[in-house]
Amino acid sequence: MEAILNKMKHLNQISEAFLCCSICLEQFKTPKILSCLHTFCQQCLITLVEKSGGSLICPDCRQQHMVPDGGVPAIKGNFFMDNLIEKVRQLSKASEQKCDLMCEVCQKSESEATWVCEECKCHLCSNCAKVHQNLPATKTHSVLAIEEHKKIQTRPKALQAVDYCTVHLKNELKFFCETCKVPICTDCTIVKHRIPEHIHSDLTDAAKDYVRDMTAMVDKLKTKEREVESSEDETKDLLSELTVQQNTAVQKVKMKAEYMIQQIRLEEQNLTEQVHKSYEMKMKRASVAVDAVELQHGSIKSTCHYMETLMHHGSAAQLFSTKVDVEYRTQQLLAMENPKQEQQEKVEFHPHEIPPAHSILGVLKSDVCISQCSVQNVPKRLPKGDSVELLVLTKDSDGNQVVPRQPVTAKVTYPDASLEDITVNDNGDGTHGIMIHGQKHGKYQVSMAIGSQPIPGSPVSIPVVGGLVGTIGRKGSAP
């Protein structure tokens, strides 16, 4: 009984997942084992091969296998799994009955096993034991009560089912063919596995040797498992690190985007305020002009209406009674000048193609009043070899510094009369820098224009001198 309990203990350690097909997730039905040692239901493999167009790839390890000529049914069956499922089922039922063993012949839940057949190595109930002892084929078998069997066992072992030859169905497998690597019965040693072509050994002894080999292989596999487990941990750590890096990068992008959106909103507000400010005075002047035009128009319209009414409905005396006033008013209105549209500078929004550091969306550009523009930082003399940056200020008619709609251009005429275009740096705030390098001795003439109109004071003259620019002191040219 102790051996049976030990057997139950080991079987109870087998997980339910081990007995289930990983395709249908149910307990194996007609299990087939692949060369990669993964087991699946026969029907599940048939469906898998049909869906993949005839190829067989293990769903667990993705290893490809050859489908035999007989199809999936010709794949080796996993009889060990069949036997294991049956043992687990029997021992599970026995456990439910407080560890009372079931008869392995009739397999009735109420048939408690009280006998053991030592030849068949199976448990029997009282009725099956009587039948077992009366059958001609098993009449000579030794059938003992479980308690008696327990007493004569020096080292109790879990009972194993008898394995029979698949060719000679009634013969027990007792030998192992070392040549063919298959278990065989006595008849097989005479028919297909004859000596000396084939080498035989006792099946139990061969199994013991193979168990030792398998133990060594398991030890190596466990060592390999630990190495792979360590590599798995490193890979998971790498994946975790990559996830953190990804989240950090995404967070930085979001923070930058939020900052840019905030800056864009602020710039939008500033540009909108500038637009309103730029057009405020212009709209006031335009409104005053509209009022004046409307007043003049109303005066002419009312005078015409009065004169037309007088002509159609007034008497002769009434016509002449206002003759002087009518003629005077008519002459007065005709002498009035027609209102002229005052030209207003246009303000436009120009988006940046490549935004500079100080702006994102764009900049407002306006028509400039050329008379308000000027050039600053013009030196009286420029020592040869030095440089100076002229500053052009662009303003509108109200004197506000604005970015011009028209380009600012500059040209320099050197002392040798050669002419060259100079790059103008637009600072984006109504100021423009023009860099002059004093490389030649003599007078430099710098011409600047906005569009086609020259800037007041242009061209400016810059003498490039060598030696002393001036002297100071009592004998100098300046105090």
Side-chain angles (χ1 to χ4, degrees):
M1 196 65 181
E2 183 180 352
I4 304 304
L5 292 175
N6 287 335
K7 182 176 183 180
M8 290 179 61
K9 179 181 177 181
H10 290 299
L11 288 176
N12 287 334
Q13 292 175 354
I14 298 176
S15 65
E16 184 66 25
F18 184 76
L19 303 176
C20 292
C21 173
S22 61
I23 297 178
C24 64
L25 303 180
E26 296 179 359
Q27 204 168 71
F28 291 109
K29 302 178 185 67
T30 317
K32 296 289 182 178
I33 184 168
L34 304 179
S35 60
C36 60
L37 301 184
H38 291 127
T39 304
F40 305 95
C41 299
Q42 176 176 294
Q43 187 56 47
C44 292
L45 289 179
I46 292 174
T47 305
L48 184 67
V49 170
E50 289 176 351
K51 288 185 177 179
S52 61
S55 61
L56 177 56
I57 299 176
C58 176
D60 287 349
C61 65
R62 309 305 299 169
Q63 182 176 333
Q64 190 164 3
H65 301 273
M66 293 293 295
V67 180
D69 294 337
V72 172
I75 297 176
K76 184 187 298 184
N78 194 338
F79 302 109
F80 163 71
M81 190 64 69
D82 268 335
N83 183 60
L84 188 62
I85 291 173
E86 182 61 29
K87 289 297 179 184
V88 170
R89 185 183 297 114
Q90 291 179 8
L91 291 173
S92 177
K93 290 181 180 179
S95 178
E96 293 174 0
Q97 298 175 6
K98 299 181 181 180
C99 295
D100 290 336
L101 293 174
M102 291 174 53
C103 176
E104 294 182 77
V105 177
C106 62
Q107 295 185 358
K108 294 180 180 179
S109 59
E110 67 275 4
S111 299
E112 181 182 352
T114 55
W115 300 83
V116 176
C117 176
E118 291 195 318
E119 278 75 10
C120 297
K121 296 184 176 6
C122 64
H123 297 90
L124 306 169
C125 64
S126 298
N127 292 333
C128 291
K130 291 178 182 179
V131 174
H132 202 75
Q133 289 176 317
N134 293 328
L135 287 174
T138 59
K139 189 174 182 179
T140 60
H141 289 190
S142 176
V143 179
L144 303 175
I146 288 180
E147 293 299 326
E148 185 179 356
H149 174 77
K150 180 180 178 182
K151 291 179 182 179
I152 66 174
Q153 295 292 322
T154 56
R155 296 180 63 187
K157 297 180 180 179
L159 299 179
Q160 298 293 332
V162 176
D163 294 318
Y164 292 95
C165 181
T166 56
V167 178
H168 310 98
L169 303 180
K170 295 182 180 181
N171 291 352
E172 183 181 352
L173 296 172
K174 294 185 177 181
F175 301 97
F176 180 72
C177 179
E178 299 285 353
T179 305
C180 301
K181 306 298 181 185
V182 292
I184 56 177
C185 68
T186 304
D187 290 350
C188 290
T189 61
I190 302 173
V191 183
K192 290 187 177 181
H193 302 270
R194 293 191 300 268
I195 298 176
E197 291 88 355
H198 295 258
I199 300 174
H200 308 151
S201 62
D202 183 75
L203 183 60
T204 303
D205 295 337
K208 290 179 181 178
D209 293 338
Y210 185 52
V211 166
R212 284 195 294 269
D213 294 339
M214 287 186 69
T215 302
M217 288 189 287
V218 168
D219 291 340
K220 291 179 180 179
L221 284 173
K222 286 187 176 180
T223 303
K224 183 67 174 180
E225 180 189 6
R226 288 190 291 269
E227 294 174 358
V228 173
E229 186 178 6
S230 176
S231 177
E232 180 183 2
D233 293 339
E234 292 176 359
T235 306
K236 287 181 179 179
D237 291 341
L238 174 61
L239 177 60
S240 178
E241 183 180 350
L242 290 174
T243 303
V244 171
Q245 291 177 1
Q246 171 185 279
N247 294 337
T248 302
V250 169
Q251 190 63 28
K252 287 183 178 180
V253 170
K254 288 184 177 180
M255 290 176 62
K256 182 62 176 179
E258 290 174 359
Y259 172 77
M260 296 291 288
I261 291 172
Q262 184 180 7
Q263 294 301 311
I264 289 173
R265 293 299 182 197
L266 290 174
E267 191 169 337
E268 175 192 12
Q269 182 179 353
N270 292 335
L271 287 172
T272 303
E273 291 176 357
Q274 290 181 36
V275 170
H276 290 319
K277 183 178 179 181
S278 299
Y279 277 97
E280 185 177 2
M281 290 302 299
K282 297 177 178 61
M283 294 180 71
K284 284 183 180 180
R285 290 195 293 268
S287 179
V288 171
V290 168
D291 292 341
V293 171
E294 287 179 348
L295 180 63
Q296 185 178 1
H297 182 214
S299 298
I300 295 174
K301 187 175 180 180
S302 63
T303 301
C304 288
H305 179 69
Y306 176 78
M307 292 173 64
E308 287 175 347
T309 304
L310 184 62
M311 284 188 296
H312 289 92
H313 303 287
S315 62
Q318 292 172 342
L319 284 171
F320 285 105
S321 65
T322 57
K323 178 178 182 297
V324 176
D325 293 333
V326 167
E327 290 178 351
Y328 176 76
R329 182 58 176 166
T330 300
Q331 293 298 325
Q332 188 181 31
L333 291 175
L334 291 175
M336 292 178 62
E337 292 185 2
N338 293 333
K340 294 181 180 179
Q341 279 287 12
E342 184 179 352
Q343 191 68 28
Q344 300 284 355
E345 296 93 349
K346 185 184 294 185
V347 178
E348 293 179 342
F349 173 70
H350 288 250
H352 289 306
E353 294 182 3
I354 302 177
H358 62 272
S359 178
I360 300 174
L361 296 178
V363 64
L364 292 176
K365 293 188 177 183
S366 175
D367 289 328
V368 298
C369 179
I370 198 68
S371 61
Q372 296 277 2
C373 299
S374 60
V375 182
Q376 296 184 358
N377 201 33
V378 180
K380 293 182 179 180
R381 298 178 187 84
L382 180 63
K384 184 179 179 181
D386 286 357
S387 299
V388 66
E389 185 179 29
L390 308 182
L391 194 64
V392 177
L393 302 181
T394 51
K395 300 181 179 181
D396 61 10
S397 58
D398 295 324
N400 299 318
Q401 197 164 291
V402 295
V403 178
R405 293 175 59 235
Q406 300 82 7
V408 177
T409 58
K411 295 181 179 181
V412 60
T413 303
Y414 295 110
D416 59 1
S418 61
L419 187 66
E420 183 183 6
D421 292 330
I422 308 176
T423 301
V424 178
N425 297 318
D426 186 355
N427 299 321
D429 58 356
T431 63
H432 303 75
I434 302 172
M435 187 65 69
I436 304 297
H437 303 286
Q439 298 175 344
K440 301 177 181 179
H441 184 273
K443 185 177 292 185
Y444 282 57
Q445 296 285 341
V446 183
S447 303
M448 293 154 285
I450 301 176
S452 59
Q453 301 182 65
I455 298 174
S458 175
V460 296
S461 180
I462 303 176
V464 176
V465 297
L468 292 175
V469 175
T471 57
I472 58 172
R474 280 186 307 175
K475 298 183 178 180
S477 57

